[in-house]
Structure formats: structure tokens, C-alpha cells
Amino acid sequence: RTNTLKTRQGELAKSLINRGMNVDPAAKWTKVGLVVYDTQVPVGATPEYLAGHYMIQGLCSFLPVMALAPQPGERCLDMAAAPGGKTSHIAALMKNSGVLFANDFNHQRCKAVIGNLHRLGVNCGIVSNLDGREYSKIMPQGFDRILLDAPCSGTGVIWKDQSVKTSRDSQDVQKRHTLQRELILSALDALDANSPTGGYLVYSTCSVLVEENEA
């Protein structure tokens, strides 16, 4: 994903082609996505990557942020932010204005969020290390938009991690289902329903199970 806080898709594509990458615009529905077919240099170690001109992300991870449609000047929350790909995308759509809270329950993973936000030039962000269920108590009705990319069983990534098939059981899914419901309720309570521009919550998972999505 091209980081529009620092560059444009066309400029980035030219730079990467000059480095020895074979890249193309990813899809008609995104103006920031590039797909890398093959490369003579490590994708995560180019001068452009280190300078924060792009983030390595799956195309499907663009969609929750596009659905959220954050606006400049808003107060937004990414409730489970690590490693910061979606958070930095939100910041780019906010044009680095307003306030963006990037929260993750895992202290170690918060370090990745901080590193990526620094690299990508995000300066409207506040990183927090809280249980997402606490946010409604700390900041009731404080946000225009909230992204909840919920902790899940990860069944949607079977195509790249076959171990998911055998490492999950129904009890594990039930526990996550309970946590997801608690996080959604907290997010709804932390949302400003009377926001002049927002009042939106986007819930997403990388699971294909009904229990963790439609139910």
C-alpha cells in the first residue's frame, strides 16, 4: 500500500521498478495498492520502505479501512491495531489531522505499531496498550469512527497457513466469539452516535466462520 502521507502510487511504482521489482497497480478499486510479481531486492528492505513510502499488506486488509471512510479532523480508534497497517491507512485518509488512537492488548505488538507509525510519518496517532473492553469506560461516546479488526481464529488464512486446520477447536472459537461480542459492545459504547460526520463502527476478522462474523 502506497503511503500517501509521503508519496504517490505512480512515483512509488517508478522507484520500485528502477530497483528491480516487477509491479503493477493492484486493482481498479484502489488508488494506493501495488502488487509485486517478482523482485530482485527484498521488498521489506528498500530505501523507499525504510523511508516509509509503503506498507506491505494484503489487499483484503484495505477493505475495512475503505468501509470506515475516516475523514480529516475526526477522532478515530483502531481497537486492535498491531502491527499498524490499517492504522496508518486510516491516518493517510485523515490526512494526518484529528486524533487517531491505535490500541493493542499485546504490549510487545505495540512496539511494532510505534515503529511503523514513526516510519510512515503518522503524527496524529496515540498508541495505547489496553484491553479494548476498557475503552468504553475511559472514553464513553468519544469517537467519530472505530475500527475493530477483532482477534479471531484466523481460519481465513488457511491458504497460507495450513496448521490453522488442526490447531483450532470449537472451544477456542467459542472463547473468541465471546470476546468479540464484548469488544463490539465496548466499541458501540465508545462511539459518538451524535457525531456530525461519523458514528460508524467497522467490524472485521480474518475468519470465515459464521460464529465469528454474521453471528
Side-chain angles (χ1 to χ4, degrees), residues 107-130:
H107 185 260
Q108 283 300 112
R109 283 167 65 80
C110 281
K111 293 176 183 175
V113 178
I114 292 166
N116 277 319
L117 296 191
H118 274 302
R119 182 175 63 81
L120 295 157
V122 173
N123 54 28
C124 65
I126 296 169
V127 178
S128 63
N129 172 218
L130 295 167

Side-chain angles (χ1 to χ4, degrees), residues 63-106:
L63 297 171
V65 177
M66 291 170 73
L68 189 68
Q71 304 298 308
E74 289 185 330
R75 284 167 66 86
C76 297
L77 166 65
D78 188 346
M79 201 176 248
K86 295 184 186 74
T87 312
S88 53
H89 192 181
I90 292 170
L93 293 178
M94 290 170 70
K95 296 186 164 48
N96 239 348
S97 64
V99 186
L100 172 56
F101 285 77
N103 180 68
D104 206 90
F105 179 62
N106 185 318

Side-chain angles (χ1 to χ4, degrees), residues 10-38:
E11 293 165 25
L12 178 62
K14 276 182 202 165
S15 301
L16 297 181
I17 288 164
N18 290 338
R19 297 257 175 230
M21 283 191 203
N22 180 5
V23 303
D24 258 337
K28 285 181 180 173
W29 52 262
T30 169
K31 292 179 179 155
V32 293
L34 289 171
V35 67
V36 180
Y37 294 107
D38 56 69

Side-chain angles (χ1 to χ4, degrees), residues 157-167:
V157 297
I158 283 175
W159 61 277
K160 65 178 179 182
D161 180 8
Q162 296 291 314
S163 70
V164 171
K165 286 181 188 175
T166 52
S167 62

